[in-house]
Structures are given as structure tokens and as C-alpha cells.
Amino acid sequence: SECRLLCLVQVVKDLECGHSLSTECKNVFPVVKKDNLLCRQVMEKQLACGHTRNTLCCFYNESTLCITKVERILPCGHMQQMECFESTDDVFCDEMVIETLPCGHELETKCSKPLKDLVCEAQCSRKLSCGHKCRQLCSHLCKCDKLLEKKLSCGHMVKYQCSSQEKVTCHQPCERVLTCGHKCSLLCGQPCATECKQLVQFISKLKCGHDTVLAPCYLKCFAKDDHRLPDVLHKYCKAVCAATMSCGHRCPGTCSNCSQANRHADCDQRCQRILPCSHPCTEMCKKKCPPCFNPCVYRCSHSKCNGVCGELCSPCQKECPCRCVHNRCSRPCFSFCNRKPCEWP
């Protein structure tokens, strides 16, 4: 095939627009046909609007936009600075004006902002049906937040909001005395309790063995000879259980808790069990005994174990010291001796 070399010599080419362009020869006489060379000469062109604009010679056309700043009168009547190509219908007026809102208040805002989008932030001055003046913002829903004071039938004074639709109730502690003689523990505005929860002392032989217990007053409704009473009172027994558990310690829980849970409380004593290494366990009794962390007591004639008791000892690899003049062990020190009993005198 024919070899085509590209010429890189700089030449001057006269363009159709009348300007000259310095370029490489390969661009003037291309091997493969391509578009005409573009003139990059900056020229001042006069646009259709009458303004001039600096643009590249070959990039100018009649649709080039004019970006000259001009002042025009907008439909609202205000003067606005804009670019020449912009239409007055597409430009928002930034002039600040005073608008009168439907509520009657005036608000300073931008001229282009629609009236329906304006929110009045003035103080409301309307008079409410209750006779008080509204203290909300004009754009908010009117409601009376004035605090009123009222004396209730119980004799207490209570404060409430005028616009509150809820029934005004007293939140003071109730001062009424129940039939049992104790004071009601509920609020004044609530119906008095039918069951008095005041703790009183009962003397009765419980199934746990105790004979006194603090229980709610309303349990007095049971007759003293009622066979159900000991079982009911047993749920309130707060005496220490003190039963001997499987670990040998006394139960620290309460009598009623152990009975209802059907199990004793966790032991709160130290374990003190003797571990296989002969050391006592120092953890709490309710936990599992961990490996012993005391220094290991094992030793041989060569060395002493430097680990802790709960870890495996490092086996001594030295020669076993068990020997006599007739026989000796051939195994390492940590292994069982293979020396047979000596029968020599």
C-alpha cells in the first residue's frame, strides 16, 4: 500500500472569511478530506438588537445571544436590570414592596411573590367568643391560651387553659378518709379507691413459718379463721428466706419471692469449694468455679513450675533422677518411670 507522510511545516492559509490562519501543512492539504478550517480570530460583531459582542469569527451566527446588561420596565411597573436577550415576562421582580394581606395587616415582601404565598407574622388582634383577645400569630388558628383559675367542688383551686375542651379535674392529693380509717392514696379528681393499699401488720401463722407480715389493709376483709388468709398473706412476707441451699449457704432472698418464683435467690456468699488442685475457689458461689489462678505448687528435682495452678505445667524434659547403682529410668522426668524395682541387696 502507498505510504502517506504527514507534513508538519507551518503554512499560512487564507480562509473564506478573509482572515489568515497559521497552521500545519497537513491541515491545509489533508490526506483524508475533513471539514474546513475554522477561523479563531476574535471580532466585534453587531447583533440584531444593535449591541456589539466580541466573538470568534467562525462561531458567530444570527442566533447568538446578547448578554449586555440593560434596564427595562417589568409588567409590574418597576425598573429591573437584566441581560438583553431576556424577556420581561421571564424575570422576577426583586423590588421590595408593602403588600396588604387579606387579614388587613401589611407585610414587606418581594414584588414578584404571589399574595397567596405570603404568611402574616403579625400578632392576632381578634376577640374570641370567650371574651379574651387572641394572642396567637395572625396566620395561626385562633385559640385562647389564657390561664384561668377555678375553685372546684372539692375546695381546691386549679389553673386551666381557657381553650381547653377537657373537663377540669383536681390533681391535688385526695384528703378523704376511707372506711378503714386510712387516707385515700389517689388524686382528688379520681374516684376513691375501693381497696386500701396502706400496709398494716397482720398476725397469722403463715405456711412459711412466719407469724407477722405487712400486707395491704383491704385484706382485712378476710375473716381471721378463713383458710385462704395464710396463703394470701404469704405473698407479702418480706422476711429473709434463710433456707439452706444445695451449696450449703443460707438463701439471701425473701420468703415471698422464693415461694412465688419456686426457686431460691442466687447465693451471695464466696464459694470456698476445694478445687482439684487443693486450693479453695474465691469466686461468688452463684458462678461456676473458674480455673485456679494461684501459683502452681508442682515441682521436680530440676525446676519448679512458674505457671498458674489452672494451666498445664510445662513438662520437664530432663533425665529422670530415679536410679540406683543397678538400674535407672530411661524416660524424661515428666513421664512415668520405667525402672523396675531393684532386687539386689
Side-chain angles (χ1 to χ4, degrees), residues 86-292:
E86 291 181 310
S87 172
T88 55
D89 296 331
D90 300 331
V91 177
F92 293 102
C93 181
D94 293 331
E95 190 78 19
M96 298 301 292
V97 295
I98 303 295
E99 292 282 3
T100 302
L101 303 179
C103 59
H105 294 121
E106 292 182 341
L107 180 67
E108 186 178 21
T109 181
K110 289 184 178 180
C111 177
S112 58
K113 194 166 185 179
L115 188 63
K116 63 182 180 63
D117 295 339
L118 301 180
V119 178
C120 183
E121 299 294 336
Q123 188 76 33
C124 182
S125 58
R126 289 186 285 270
K127 191 173 183 180
L128 305 176
S129 57
C130 60
H132 301 124
K133 191 176 180 180
C134 179
R135 296 191 292 181
Q136 304 291 327
L137 293 179
C138 184
S139 57
H140 293 180
L141 186 66
C142 285
K143 72 171 184 177
C144 185
D145 56 0
K146 187 175 180 64
L147 285 179
L148 303 178
E149 196 171 31
K150 180 180 180 180
K151 187 174 184 179
L152 302 179
S153 58
C154 59
H156 295 126
M157 298 296 293
V158 63
K159 290 183 178 181
Y160 65 98
Q161 203 172 45
C162 180
S163 60
S164 176
Q165 300 297 323
E166 298 178 1
K167 183 180 177 181
V168 180
T169 56
C170 183
H171 295 284
Q172 297 291 331
C174 183
E175 298 178 353
R176 291 186 286 272
V177 178
L178 304 178
T179 55
C180 61
H182 295 122
K183 200 173 180 180
C184 178
S185 60
L186 301 179
L187 298 178
C188 186
Q190 297 175 324
C192 284
T194 56
E195 295 181 345
C196 179
K197 302 295 179 67
Q198 181 74 31
L199 294 179
V200 296
Q201 189 178 50
F202 283 81
I203 300 177
S204 177
K205 192 66 176 178
L206 307 181
K207 66 178 183 180
C208 58
H210 301 113
D211 51 11
T212 59
V213 64
L214 289 176
C217 177
Y218 74 89
L219 293 179
K220 288 182 179 179
C221 63
F222 287 93
K224 288 187 177 181
D225 57 350
D226 193 328
H227 67 279
R228 296 174 298 169
L229 185 59
D231 291 337
V232 174
L233 293 177
H234 179 61
K235 296 189 298 183
Y236 298 95
C237 183
K238 299 300 180 184
V240 178
C241 177
T244 302
M245 298 187 292
S246 58
C247 61
H249 298 127
R250 297 284 186 178
C251 175
T254 61
C255 188
S256 57
N257 289 345
C258 292
S259 176
Q260 293 180 41
N262 202 23
R263 62 180 294 272
H264 289 296
D266 292 332
C267 184
D268 59 355
Q269 301 293 320
R270 290 287 177 184
C271 179
Q272 297 299 318
R273 294 187 185 93
I274 302 301
L275 301 176
C277 59
S278 75
H279 293 125
C281 176
T282 58
E283 278 294 333
M284 299 300 293
C285 189
K286 61 185 177 183
K287 296 182 179 179
K288 290 184 178 180
C289 293
C292 182

Side-chain angles (χ1 to χ4, degrees), residues 51-94:
H51 297 119
T52 58
R53 179 178 176 181
N54 290 334
T55 181
L56 295 177
C57 177
C58 290
F59 285 94
Y60 170 77
N61 55 57
E62 294 182 355
S63 62
T64 302
L65 299 177
C66 179
I67 57 174
T68 304
K69 294 290 184 181
V70 296
E71 286 190 347
R72 289 180 182 159
I73 298 177
L74 301 180
C76 60
H78 295 121
M79 188 73 73
Q80 178 85 5
Q81 191 178 56
M82 64 183 71
E83 293 181 343
C84 181
F85 74 91
E86 291 181 310
S87 172
T88 55
D89 296 331
D90 300 331
V91 177
F92 293 102
C93 181
D94 293 331

Side-chain angles (χ1 to χ4, degrees), residues 31-49:
V31 175
V32 180
K33 186 177 180 181
K34 57 182 181 179
D35 296 337
N36 294 331
L37 296 175
L38 298 177
C39 179
R40 298 186 177 276
Q41 185 77 24
V42 177
M43 295 189 61
E44 188 177 64
K45 296 282 188 177
Q46 186 170 12
L47 305 178
C49 60

